[in-house]
Amino acid sequence: MIRRPPRSTPKPSSAASDVYKRQLFLLSSTRMEVFSGSSALKLSEPKFLSIIEVSNEENKRASFAANWGFLSDGGTFFTLNGDVHAVITGSKNQSKIRSELLNYDSKNMIISTSRAFTLSMPNSSLSGDSLTADLINEVFTVSERLKANYDAI
């Protein structure tokens, strides 16, 4: 699936979706279930890759794997549960997130969790109880119980 930004917005920076040209999704799952009266799709052992083409920059990537999850809001919101692994490759470096629950809002390119997590980067690791990751700006915000380790080079 390829997403394109809206044709017109009041200001080019007013929406995260205006920052990218295209977003490519690749989704696989051992089982996908649709329930009557619901637009959500239940996924068993989902693996998901999002490739974001950003103006004048390298592509940014986010890949996810989990025991199970849901795809909702017209295919723009993922809730992943059970031993979730996420790998984020940005213009600066690669980061890995592990948690029991992660949400991915593909419209705004935001990863979030309100559960215990571990964030690993090349020289450091963080853990805490709440995380929000803005993939466009490559900003990670830890809200609760931060613990950090840094390995000097």
Side-chain angles (χ1 to χ4, degrees), residues 132-153:
T132 303
D134 177 343
L135 301 184
I136 293 298
N137 297 309
E138 297 181 38
V139 174
F140 295 80
T141 305
V142 179
S143 302
E144 297 179 31
R145 297 184 192 183
L146 172 64
K147 179 181 177 185
N149 294 313
Y150 179 77
D151 296 326
I153 295 177

PDB file of all heavy atoms in Angstrom, residues 132-153:
ATOM      1  N   THR A 132       7.248   7.549  23.509  1.00  0.00           N
ATOM      2  CA  THR A 132       6.689   8.036  22.256  1.00  0.00           C
ATOM      3  C   THR A 132       7.860   8.312  21.327  1.00  0.00           C
ATOM      4  O   THR A 132       8.815   8.980  21.717  1.00  0.00           O
ATOM      5  CB  THR A 132       5.868   9.326  22.464  1.00  0.00           C
ATOM      6  OG1 THR A 132       4.834   9.064  23.411  1.00  0.00           O
ATOM      7  CG2 THR A 132       5.254   9.811  21.165  1.00  0.00           C
ATOM      8  N   ALA A 133       7.794   7.784  20.117  1.00  0.00           N
ATOM      9  CA  ALA A 133       8.863   7.973  19.135  1.00  0.00           C
ATOM     10  C   ALA A 133       8.290   8.628  17.893  1.00  0.00           C
ATOM     11  O   ALA A 133       7.402   8.073  17.239  1.00  0.00           O
ATOM     12  CB  ALA A 133       9.500   6.642  18.791  1.00  0.00           C
ATOM     13  N   ASP A 134       8.778   9.812  17.568  1.00  0.00           N
ATOM     14  CA  ASP A 134       8.397  10.553  16.367  1.00  0.00           C
ATOM     15  C   ASP A 134       9.398  10.178  15.284  1.00  0.00           C
ATOM     16  O   ASP A 134      10.550  10.599  15.320  1.00  0.00           O
ATOM     17  CB  ASP A 134       8.440  12.051  16.672  1.00  0.00           C
ATOM     18  CG  ASP A 134       8.128  12.922  15.477  1.00  0.00           C
ATOM     19  OD1 ASP A 134       8.179  12.447  14.329  1.00  0.00           O
ATOM     20  OD2 ASP A 134       7.850  14.117  15.703  1.00  0.00           O
ATOM     21  N   LEU A 135       8.982   9.363  14.313  1.00  0.00           N
ATOM     22  CA  LEU A 135       9.908   8.863  13.302  1.00  0.00           C
ATOM     23  C   LEU A 135      10.347   9.926  12.310  1.00  0.00           C
ATOM     24  O   LEU A 135      11.459   9.861  11.799  1.00  0.00           O
ATOM     25  CB  LEU A 135       9.291   7.683  12.555  1.00  0.00           C
ATOM     26  CG  LEU A 135       8.899   6.486  13.410  1.00  0.00           C
ATOM     27  CD1 LEU A 135       8.399   5.354  12.535  1.00  0.00           C
ATOM     28  CD2 LEU A 135      10.053   6.025  14.277  1.00  0.00           C
ATOM     29  N   ILE A 136       9.511  10.889  12.036  1.00  0.00           N
ATOM     30  CA  ILE A 136       9.885  11.944  11.087  1.00  0.00           C
ATOM     31  C   ILE A 136      11.019  12.792  11.642  1.00  0.00           C
ATOM     32  O   ILE A 136      12.016  13.038  10.976  1.00  0.00           O
ATOM     33  CB  ILE A 136       8.673  12.841  10.743  1.00  0.00           C
ATOM     34  CG1 ILE A 136       7.647  12.036   9.969  1.00  0.00           C
ATOM     35  CG2 ILE A 136       9.102  14.069   9.954  1.00  0.00           C
ATOM     36  CD1 ILE A 136       8.124  11.504   8.625  1.00  0.00           C
ATOM     37  N   ASN A 137      10.878  13.243  12.882  1.00  0.00           N
ATOM     38  CA  ASN A 137      11.894  14.109  13.488  1.00  0.00           C
ATOM     39  C   ASN A 137      12.957  13.328  14.258  1.00  0.00           C
ATOM     40  O   ASN A 137      13.889  13.916  14.788  1.00  0.00           O
ATOM     41  CB  ASN A 137      11.221  15.113  14.426  1.00  0.00           C
ATOM     42  CG  ASN A 137      10.299  16.028  13.657  1.00  0.00           C
ATOM     43  OD1 ASN A 137      10.691  16.619  12.665  1.00  0.00           O
ATOM     44  ND2 ASN A 137       9.063  16.110  14.094  1.00  0.00           N
ATOM     45  N   GLU A 138      12.786  12.005  14.334  1.00  0.00           N
ATOM     46  CA  GLU A 138      13.707  11.126  15.054  1.00  0.00           C
ATOM     47  C   GLU A 138      13.898  11.581  16.500  1.00  0.00           C
ATOM     48  O   GLU A 138      14.999  11.713  17.001  1.00  0.00           O
ATOM     49  CB  GLU A 138      15.037  11.011  14.309  1.00  0.00           C
ATOM     50  CG  GLU A 138      14.876  10.374  12.944  1.00  0.00           C
ATOM     51  CD  GLU A 138      16.170  10.205  12.177  1.00  0.00           C
ATOM     52  OE1 GLU A 138      17.192   9.895  12.798  1.00  0.00           O
ATOM     53  OE2 GLU A 138      16.137  10.377  10.959  1.00  0.00           O
ATOM     54  N   VAL A 139      12.758  11.819  17.174  1.00  0.00           N
ATOM     55  CA  VAL A 139      12.749  12.253  18.567  1.00  0.00           C
ATOM     56  C   VAL A 139      12.054  11.179  19.397  1.00  0.00           C
ATOM     57  O   VAL A 139      10.932  10.768  19.094  1.00  0.00           O
ATOM     58  CB  VAL A 139      12.007  13.601  18.730  1.00  0.00           C
ATOM     59  CG1 VAL A 139      11.866  13.970  20.201  1.00  0.00           C
ATOM     60  CG2 VAL A 139      12.735  14.693  17.966  1.00  0.00           C
ATOM     61  N   PHE A 140      12.726  10.727  20.459  1.00  0.00           N
ATOM     62  CA  PHE A 140      12.193   9.720  21.363  1.00  0.00           C
ATOM     63  C   PHE A 140      11.929  10.406  22.703  1.00  0.00           C
ATOM     64  O   PHE A 140      12.827  11.030  23.260  1.00  0.00           O
ATOM     65  CB  PHE A 140      13.188   8.574  21.553  1.00  0.00           C
ATOM     66  CG  PHE A 140      13.429   7.793  20.291  1.00  0.00           C
ATOM     67  CD1 PHE A 140      14.294   8.251  19.320  1.00  0.00           C
ATOM     68  CD2 PHE A 140      12.773   6.591  20.077  1.00  0.00           C
ATOM     69  CE1 PHE A 140      14.521   7.519  18.155  1.00  0.00           C
ATOM     70  CE2 PHE A 140      12.985   5.861  18.924  1.00  0.00           C
ATOM     71  CZ  PHE A 140      13.860   6.332  17.968  1.00  0.00           C
ATOM     72  N   THR A 141      10.715  10.266  23.231  1.00  0.00           N
ATOM     73  CA  THR A 141      10.338  10.880  24.496  1.00  0.00           C
ATOM     74  C   THR A 141       9.959   9.787  25.487  1.00  0.00           C
ATOM     75  O   THR A 141       9.051   8.993  25.222  1.00  0.00           O
ATOM     76  CB  THR A 141       9.142  11.834  24.303  1.00  0.00           C
ATOM     77  OG1 THR A 141       9.464  12.777  23.288  1.00  0.00           O
ATOM     78  CG2 THR A 141       8.809  12.552  25.589  1.00  0.00           C
ATOM     79  N   VAL A 142      10.677   9.757  26.615  1.00  0.00           N
ATOM     80  CA  VAL A 142      10.393   8.800  27.679  1.00  0.00           C
ATOM     81  C   VAL A 142       9.681   9.565  28.780  1.00  0.00           C
ATOM     82  O   VAL A 142      10.165  10.583  29.254  1.00  0.00           O
ATOM     83  CB  VAL A 142      11.692   8.162  28.227  1.00  0.00           C
ATOM     84  CG1 VAL A 142      11.375   7.197  29.352  1.00  0.00           C
ATOM     85  CG2 VAL A 142      12.459   7.486  27.107  1.00  0.00           C
ATOM     86  N   SER A 143       8.507   9.069  29.201  1.00  0.00           N
ATOM     87  CA  SER A 143       7.698   9.805  30.171  1.00  0.00           C
ATOM     88  C   SER A 143       7.846   9.325  31.602  1.00  0.00           C
ATOM     89  O   SER A 143       7.679  10.093  32.526  1.00  0.00           O
ATOM     90  CB  SER A 143       6.223   9.727  29.780  1.00  0.00           C
ATOM     91  OG  SER A 143       6.036  10.246  28.497  1.00  0.00           O
ATOM     92  N   GLU A 144       8.114   8.048  31.809  1.00  0.00           N
ATOM     93  CA  GLU A 144       8.120   7.526  33.174  1.00  0.00           C
ATOM     94  C   GLU A 144       9.276   6.568  33.414  1.00  0.00           C
ATOM     95  O   GLU A 144       9.620   5.774  32.551  1.00  0.00           O
ATOM     96  CB  GLU A 144       6.815   6.787  33.457  1.00  0.00           C
ATOM     97  CG  GLU A 144       5.593   7.693  33.385  1.00  0.00           C
ATOM     98  CD  GLU A 144       4.314   6.919  33.641  1.00  0.00           C
ATOM     99  OE1 GLU A 144       4.353   5.942  34.397  1.00  0.00           O
ATOM    100  OE2 GLU A 144       3.295   7.297  33.067  1.00  0.00           O
ATOM    101  N   ARG A 145       9.859   6.651  34.623  1.00  0.00           N
ATOM    102  CA  ARG A 145      10.881   5.720  35.119  1.00  0.00           C
ATOM    103  C   ARG A 145      12.006   5.459  34.124  1.00  0.00           C
ATOM    104  O   ARG A 145      12.211   4.336  33.674  1.00  0.00           O
ATOM    105  CB  ARG A 145      10.248   4.412  35.528  1.00  0.00           C
ATOM    106  CG  ARG A 145       9.292   4.591  36.667  1.00  0.00           C
ATOM    107  CD  ARG A 145       8.776   3.262  37.104  1.00  0.00           C
ATOM    108  NE  ARG A 145       7.650   3.465  38.000  1.00  0.00           N
ATOM    109  CZ  ARG A 145       7.014   2.519  38.601  1.00  0.00           C
ATOM    110  NH1 ARG A 145       7.364   1.281  38.428  1.00  0.00           N
ATOM    111  NH2 ARG A 145       6.018   2.782  39.392  1.00  0.00           N
ATOM    112  N   LEU A 146      12.748   6.461  33.816  1.00  0.00           N
ATOM    113  CA  LEU A 146      13.851   6.362  32.871  1.00  0.00           C
ATOM    114  C   LEU A 146      15.085   5.758  33.529  1.00  0.00           C
ATOM    115  O   LEU A 146      15.475   6.126  34.634  1.00  0.00           O
ATOM    116  CB  LEU A 146      14.212   7.749  32.326  1.00  0.00           C
ATOM    117  CG  LEU A 146      15.463   7.845  31.477  1.00  0.00           C
ATOM    118  CD1 LEU A 146      15.302   7.046  30.196  1.00  0.00           C
ATOM    119  CD2 LEU A 146      15.778   9.302  31.184  1.00  0.00           C
ATOM    120  N   LYS A 147      15.706   4.822  32.844  1.00  0.00           N
ATOM    121  CA  LYS A 147      16.984   4.260  33.230  1.00  0.00           C
ATOM    122  C   LYS A 147      17.827   4.239  31.959  1.00  0.00           C
ATOM    123  O   LYS A 147      17.363   3.771  30.920  1.00  0.00           O
ATOM    124  CB  LYS A 147      16.832   2.850  33.796  1.00  0.00           C
ATOM    125  CG  LYS A 147      18.159   2.233  34.185  1.00  0.00           C
ATOM    126  CD  LYS A 147      17.978   0.820  34.718  1.00  0.00           C
ATOM    127  CE  LYS A 147      19.340   0.218  35.024  1.00  0.00           C
ATOM    128  NZ  LYS A 147      19.233  -1.175  35.419  1.00  0.00           N
ATOM    129  N   ALA A 148      19.065   4.745  32.037  1.00  0.00           N
ATOM    130  CA  ALA A 148      19.893   4.836  30.830  1.00  0.00           C
ATOM    131  C   ALA A 148      21.281   4.262  31.087  1.00  0.00           C
ATOM    132  O   ALA A 148      21.821   4.372  32.181  1.00  0.00           O
ATOM    133  CB  ALA A 148      20.006   6.289  30.398  1.00  0.00           C
ATOM    134  N   ASN A 149      21.843   3.666  30.039  1.00  0.00           N
ATOM    135  CA  ASN A 149      23.222   3.183  30.032  1.00  0.00           C
ATOM    136  C   ASN A 149      23.901   3.746  28.799  1.00  0.00           C
ATOM    137  O   ASN A 149      23.317   3.704  27.699  1.00  0.00           O
ATOM    138  CB  ASN A 149      23.292   1.651  29.977  1.00  0.00           C
ATOM    139  CG  ASN A 149      22.732   1.022  31.231  1.00  0.00           C
ATOM    140  OD1 ASN A 149      23.054   1.442  32.327  1.00  0.00           O
ATOM    141  ND2 ASN A 149      21.891   0.020  31.048  1.00  0.00           N
ATOM    142  N   TYR A 150      25.135   4.236  28.962  1.00  0.00           N
ATOM    143  CA  TYR A 150      25.873   4.805  27.833  1.00  0.00           C
ATOM    144  C   TYR A 150      27.262   4.205  27.797  1.00  0.00           C
ATOM    145  O   TYR A 150      27.952   4.169  28.817  1.00  0.00           O
ATOM    146  CB  TYR A 150      25.962   6.338  27.958  1.00  0.00           C
ATOM    147  CG  TYR A 150      26.723   6.966  26.830  1.00  0.00           C
ATOM    148  CD1 TYR A 150      26.140   7.115  25.590  1.00  0.00           C
ATOM    149  CD2 TYR A 150      28.031   7.390  26.993  1.00  0.00           C
ATOM    150  CE1 TYR A 150      26.827   7.679  24.540  1.00  0.00           C
ATOM    151  CE2 TYR A 150      28.747   7.963  25.952  1.00  0.00           C
ATOM    152  CZ  TYR A 150      28.109   8.099  24.718  1.00  0.00           C
ATOM    153  OH  TYR A 150      28.809   8.658  23.673  1.00  0.00           O
ATOM    154  N   ASP A 151      27.676   3.713  26.649  1.00  0.00           N
ATOM    155  CA  ASP A 151      29.006   3.166  26.459  1.00  0.00           C
ATOM    156  C   ASP A 151      29.829   4.159  25.647  1.00  0.00           C
ATOM    157  O   ASP A 151      29.534   4.385  24.477  1.00  0.00           O
ATOM    158  CB  ASP A 151      28.959   1.829  25.709  1.00  0.00           C
ATOM    159  CG  ASP A 151      28.244   0.752  26.495  1.00  0.00           C
ATOM    160  OD1 ASP A 151      28.363   0.769  27.732  1.00  0.00           O
ATOM    161  OD2 ASP A 151      27.564  -0.084  25.879  1.00  0.00           O
ATOM    162  N   ALA A 152      30.831   4.758  26.279  1.00  0.00           N
ATOM    163  CA  ALA A 152      31.695   5.702  25.563  1.00  0.00           C
ATOM    164  C   ALA A 152      32.542   4.952  24.554  1.00  0.00           C
ATOM    165  O   ALA A 152      32.979   3.830  24.790  1.00  0.00           O
ATOM    166  CB  ALA A 152      32.596   6.434  26.552  1.00  0.00           C
ATOM    167  N   ILE A 153      32.763   5.577  23.433  1.00  0.00           N
ATOM    168  CA  ILE A 153      33.560   4.953  22.373  1.00  0.00           C
ATOM    169  C   ILE A 153      35.023   5.172  22.647  1.00  0.00           C
ATOM    170  O   ILE A 153      35.496   6.139  23.057  1.00  0.00           O
ATOM    171  CB  ILE A 153      33.187   5.542  20.995  1.00  0.00           C
ATOM    172  CG1 ILE A 153      31.756   5.188  20.683  1.00  0.00           C
ATOM    173  CG2 ILE A 153      34.095   4.982  19.915  1.00  0.00           C
ATOM    174  CD1 ILE A 153      31.239   5.767  19.396  1.00  0.00           C
TER     175      ILE A 153
END
